[in-house]
Amino acid sequence: MQWWIWPLGGFIFWTVVIIFKKWTALKQASIKTLDIITIPNWIVLHQTMGYLFGISFVPWFLLIWLVVGIFLAWFLLQNNWRWQTFWRRYWQWSGLLAAIIVILITIIGLFLH
């Protein structure tokens, strides 16, 4: 299996989710696109890194992101954020972080292969 199958599949999944959000009843739902694609983004990142480099650093990325989240929670919850708002934003930021890393790993993979 080629390494680029996973980023391509992730991009197709993102496109399908965006289309469904735009042209179905999900448009009125309070759930955002980043809420839906967070876990698939991390799975795509894990598989892409595994096929491309032979090793995946996703557990380390998640551990570092957890530590960042602890400091963000400490700071933002002291500045009158509700914990539900923080948790929702942190979840969305997690999906966005995974998407950015997938894009960077894909660009690196295109240059290496």
Side-chain angles (χ1 to χ4, degrees):
M1 184 175 202
Q2 297 292 325
W3 69 269
W4 48 266
I5 296 294
W6 281 96
L8 181 64
F11 178 73
I12 291 170
F13 181 75
W14 300 336
T15 306
V16 167
V17 168
I18 290 169
I19 288 170
F20 276 136
K21 278 286 289 170
K22 193 168 192 103
W23 289 305
T24 64
L26 283 175
K27 185 183 349 183
Q28 288 86 19
S30 66
I31 192 166
K32 305 276 190 231
T33 303
L34 283 175
D35 294 331
I36 298 169
I37 65 173
T38 297
I39 292 176
N41 278 349
W42 286 106
I43 293 170
V44 166
L45 178 62
H46 177 68
Q47 294 294 332
T48 302
M49 287 187 78
Y51 279 112
L52 185 60
F53 302 122
I55 187 169
S56 175
F57 296 109
V58 169
W60 292 105
F61 290 151
L62 288 173
L63 185 64
I64 292 168
W65 184 240
L66 176 67
V67 171
V68 168
I70 290 170
F71 287 113
L72 278 173
W74 176 71
F75 177 73
L76 293 175
L77 292 177
Q78 286 184 346
N79 290 325
N80 299 327
W81 275 45
R82 292 180 42 227
W83 69 270
Q84 295 96 339
T85 304
F86 169 75
W87 178 247
R88 177 91 181 258
R89 295 279 169 87
Y90 184 71
W91 181 258
Q92 291 173 346
W93 295 337
S94 297
L96 186 61
L97 176 69
I100 290 169
I101 296 173
V102 166
I103 291 168
L104 290 174
I105 294 297
T106 303
I107 291 170
I108 291 169
L110 290 173
F111 283 117
L112 290 178
H113 287 96

